[in-house]
């Protein structure tokens, strides 16, 4: 009987040991995910050591450049008045007779003054004031630098009247349709020309068509 009890006790101990979790678990070392300007190399320079703290971060850097470097490319603004003077745009406008042609189509000073209340009501001035940086450095260079080529076209269209703007809008819309219908691709990059050029052609169609409608309504 004693031998049987010893045998059962040994079996129970062996069974319990089989289901006992291992006390020592091997730990896996995880690599560090910290990123450094020196890419973690010991021989590379440390940005925190060789760069003044005032230059760290885009906002601080732009502020420092604006305060210490005159006419920096980073904070430079397009000089609209200077370029208008250099390109002699005012003289070209007078030479082409654009103002007189606008008056001929019904757009005179009195008509412009009548638009001011509507412009103020729509908040156009507030929108312009809140987007000065975009207008000066985005739209102004395109308009001013392209003026010597665009003004003669505008003068010719004003000489004809609203039909010229409608024809131009139809022509631009036709170009956009042709690009989309024929799946024309932009060379070297293989992108759909109708999609990406459409970002320019579609708004241009609306502007030309709108100009034709506006001149038709002003025609006296």
């Amino acid at each position: 009987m004693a031998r049987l009890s010893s045998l059962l006790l040994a079996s129970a101990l062996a069974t319990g040991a089989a289901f006992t979790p291992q006390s020592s678990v091997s730990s896996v070392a995880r690599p560090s995910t910290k990123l450094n300007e020196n890419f973690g190399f010991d021989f590379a320079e440390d940005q925190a050591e060789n760069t003044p703290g005032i230059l760290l971060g885009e906002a601080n850097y732009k502020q420092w450049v604006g305060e210490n470097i005159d006419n920096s490319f980073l904070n430079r603004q397009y000089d609209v008045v200077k370029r208008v003077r250099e390109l002699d745009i005012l003289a070209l406008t007078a030479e082409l007779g654009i103002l007189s042609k606008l008056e001929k189509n019904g757009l005179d000073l009195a008509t412009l003054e009548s638009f001011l209340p509507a412009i103020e009501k729509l908040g156009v001035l507030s929108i312009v004031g809140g987007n000065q940086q975009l207008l000066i450095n985005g739209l102004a260079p395109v308009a001013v630098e392209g003026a010597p080529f665009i003004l003669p076209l505008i003068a010719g269209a004003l000489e004809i009247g609203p039909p010229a703007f409608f024809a131009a809008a139809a022509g631009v819309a036709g170009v956009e349709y042709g690009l989309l219908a024929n799946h024309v691709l932009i060379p070297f990059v293989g992108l759909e020309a109708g999609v990406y050029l459409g970002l320019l052609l579609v708004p241009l169609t609306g502007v030309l068509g709108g100009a034709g409608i506006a001149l038709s309504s002003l025609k006296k």
Side-chain angles (χ1 to χ4, degrees), residues 13-87:
L13 293 176
T15 305
F19 292 96
T20 300
Q22 297 292 332
S23 58
S24 60
V25 180
S26 60
S27 58
V28 179
R30 296 183 178 180
S32 176
T33 58
K34 182 180 178 180
L35 299 178
N36 301 291
E37 291 293 331
N38 55 11
F39 299 99
F41 294 115
D42 297 335
F43 57 83
E45 296 181 353
D46 188 359
Q47 181 189 26
E49 294 181 358
N50 60 19
T51 306
I54 195 174
L55 298 181
L56 297 178
E58 182 179 357
N60 293 335
Y61 178 67
K62 286 185 176 181
Q63 181 179 357
W64 182 87
V65 170
E67 294 175 352
N68 295 275
I69 302 178
D70 295 331
N71 195 29
S72 65
F73 181 79
L74 184 64
N75 295 319
R76 184 181 305 169
Q77 286 191 344
Y78 182 76
D79 195 337
V80 179
V81 177
K82 179 181 178 182
R83 288 301 294 158
V84 167
R85 187 185 301 114
E86 290 175 348
L87 296 175

Side-chain angles (χ1 to χ4, degrees), residues 3 9 16 39 48 79 81 111 136 140 160 188 206-207 216:
R3 181 179 296 181
L9 179 60
F39 299 99
D79 195 337
V81 177
T111 304
I136 293 175
I160 298 173
F188 305 112
V207 170
S216 297

